[in-house]
Amino acid sequence: MKKILLTFYLVAFATIVSAQGNYEKQMLENIGKMKTATTVQDFTDLRYNFASLAGNGNSNWQPYYYTALNCLKESQALVKEGKADAALDGPVTGLKYLLPVTKQQQNNVEFVALLGMLHSQRAILKNSDKDRQIAAEHLVSALKLDANNPRAALLKAELKYHTPEEKGGSRTEGVELYKEALKKFKTYKPKMKTDPDWGIEIAQHYASFNETALTLLTK
């Protein structure tokens, strides 16, 4: 009987280890694909890839996080294609994907910053003061958790840059905040291979804007 139980436990342990190894492999593969993704379809595919890892009762926050992140990136890609109406589905769906683990992640700066970015995207698309306010609240929380987190800094820059001037926004000040975020990206090092490590390309893009470029954008 003892031998049977020992064999059972060994098989169960081996199964768990194998599943964990396969999970991490798939996570890293999909995170790697994000670095070269550019099209709406790229981000849609990645959204479903991560969503499949978030299912089956997985309590790890990262699959949910990356699913929602790709919803956001899908939305941003649609905006670039001039499809603002279709882009609204991204942040709405992204927020829904985060719901299962939101309560447990209120002290996770990466998670809170992404919540802010999703609401910020909704604010941009709908010119929604409510979403802008929620995004600002998430920003305050994220900065309290870690003032040096680059994605919290990115959210701060995004809110300043994309908020209309009559409501406290400023593209000039926003560019300076993107420059500050870029500095944080250059010193940031993720603790785990699957930890969020994205956004520097966004900071680089906006930090490169000069007064001439900003003048042309406002015309």
Side-chain angles (χ1 to χ4, degrees):
M1 184 67 181
K2 289 182 179 180
K3 288 183 178 180
I4 294 174
L5 287 174
L6 178 59
T7 301
F8 172 79
Y9 287 131
L10 288 173
V11 170
F13 178 74
T15 301
I16 293 170
V17 171
S18 177
Q20 180 61 32
N22 188 48
Y23 161 79
E24 184 174 1
K25 180 182 177 182
Q26 291 182 63
M27 282 289 291
L28 291 173
E29 285 179 355
N30 286 304
I31 290 170
K33 289 178 182 178
M34 283 184 62
K35 294 179 180 179
T36 57
T38 56
T39 69
V40 173
Q41 191 60 53
D42 287 339
F43 295 120
T44 301
D45 291 343
L46 283 164
R47 183 224 293 199
Y48 288 121
N49 288 351
F50 282 112
S52 68
L53 293 171
N56 300 318
N58 193 336
S59 60
N60 190 322
W61 63 276
Q62 290 182 337
Y64 297 91
Y65 175 95
Y66 284 110
T67 303
L69 174 58
N70 279 283
C71 288
L72 174 62
K73 289 186 171 292
E74 182 182 10
S75 174
Q76 293 168 338
L78 283 165
V79 171
K80 289 180 180 178
E81 292 185 359
K83 301 174 182 177
D85 290 340
L88 186 57
D89 178 67
V92 173
T93 304
L95 288 166
K96 289 179 180 178
Y97 272 121
L98 294 181
L99 280 177
V101 289
T102 294
K103 288 184 179 180
Q104 302 97 306
Q105 299 303 322
Q106 292 303 310
N107 292 322
N108 181 335
V109 63
E110 298 288 3
F111 196 93
V112 174
L114 181 58
L115 284 171
M117 289 180 187
L118 289 163
H119 280 286
S120 176
Q121 181 72 353
R122 281 183 63 174
I124 292 168
L125 294 170
K126 296 176 62 180
N127 192 22
S128 165
D129 289 335
K130 179 180 179 180
D131 280 296
R132 196 171 289 117
Q133 179 59 38
I134 294 173
E137 291 170 1
H138 285 309
L139 172 61
V140 171
S141 298
L143 292 175
K144 284 183 179 178
L145 290 168
D146 184 359
N148 292 314
N149 181 273
R151 277 156 294 279
L154 193 65
L155 172 59
K156 183 177 182 180
E158 181 174 290
L159 282 171
K160 178 59 70 173
Y161 185 91
H162 291 289
T163 296
E165 287 191 10
E166 64 271 18
K167 296 182 179 180
S170 167
R171 286 189 168 179
T172 301
E173 292 178 32
V175 167
E176 294 306 310
L177 290 172
Y178 278 115
K179 290 178 181 178
E180 290 182 19
L182 185 56
K183 292 178 182 177
K184 289 180 169 62
F185 274 109
K186 290 179 177 179
T187 59
Y188 171 82
K189 292 183 179 180
K191 294 179 181 179
M192 297 174 59
K193 292 179 180 179
T194 54
D195 281 347
D197 188 21
W198 63 273
I200 189 171
E201 70 286 350
I202 301 172
Q204 288 172 330
H205 173 73
Y206 286 99
S208 68
F209 286 6
N210 54 31
E211 287 299 327
T212 302
L214 288 172
T215 300
L216 290 172
L217 285 169
T218 55
K219 286 185 177 181

